[in-house]
Amino acid sequence: MVRHGTWALAYMLGVAAVGLVGCGPKVGAGSVDQPVPIGTVTSSLPTQSTAAAQPTRTTPTSAAATTVAATTVVVPNGVGMNYQAAQDAWRAAGLHVSPAVDATGANRLPVIDSNWVVLAQDPPAGTQVQAGSFITATVKKYTDK
């Protein structure tokens, strides 16, 4: 059986080996036989005049400029459903579900969502909203009076 320390040592040696591979001579740093003195800056890039180095600005034509329309969805009705089924319907429609509000005012959190019933939702069913919008349910336990 291999101990965790052995794996950690093998991992560290592998990282060190990869780091050493990247420490070879750099492009434009001279040959291996004739190293470049410390403090010397070399470049293998061709030089350009300042005017040639300036980028040219172009404006897109109307055919090239495209806009992406935001996707809208119709909010499904979750009122009367158990909270888990309502969440499934809302998420399938492309909505995010915010934490539920306890209808009794006790600020309880629905731990087992299927034991809670949805009394209200915001935004209401049938509303058209952008995909990814948040929906909040007001819920109570089935056993609450």
Side-chain angles (χ1 to χ4, degrees), residues 78 80-91 97-102 108-119 135 137-144:
M81 299 172 71
N82 76 53
Y83 185 45
Q84 183 60 59
Q87 288 181 80
D88 293 342
W90 295 328
R91 287 185 178 123
V97 180
S98 295
V101 176
D102 184 359
R108 300 172 298 175
L109 296 175
V111 177
I112 301 174
D113 296 338
S114 59
N115 289 343
W116 296 71
V117 62
V118 177
L119 301 178
I135 187 165
T138 302
V139 297
K140 72 170 190 163
K141 289 185 102 172
Y142 282 108
T143 58
D144 291 341

Side-chain angles (χ1 to χ4, degrees), residues 4-109:
H4 293 290
T6 306
W7 284 107
L9 178 63
Y11 175 76
M12 291 180 357
L13 290 174
V15 169
V18 169
L20 291 176
V21 170
C23 293
K26 306 291 184 233
V27 174
S31 68
V32 176
D33 295 335
Q34 299 195 2
V36 175
I38 295 176
T40 305
V41 177
T42 61
S43 174
S44 61
L45 298 174
T47 59
Q48 297 180 352
S49 68
T50 307
Q54 296 296 324
T56 57
R57 297 182 184 258
T58 59
T59 56
T61 62
S62 61
T66 58
T67 58
V68 177
T71 305
T72 59
V73 296
V74 176
V75 178
N77 188 8
V79 175
M81 299 172 71
N82 76 53
Y83 185 45
Q84 183 60 59
Q87 288 181 80
D88 293 342
W90 295 328
R91 287 185 178 123
L95 301 171
H96 296 289
V97 180
S98 295
V101 176
D102 184 359
T104 66
N107 295 325
R108 300 172 298 175
L109 296 175

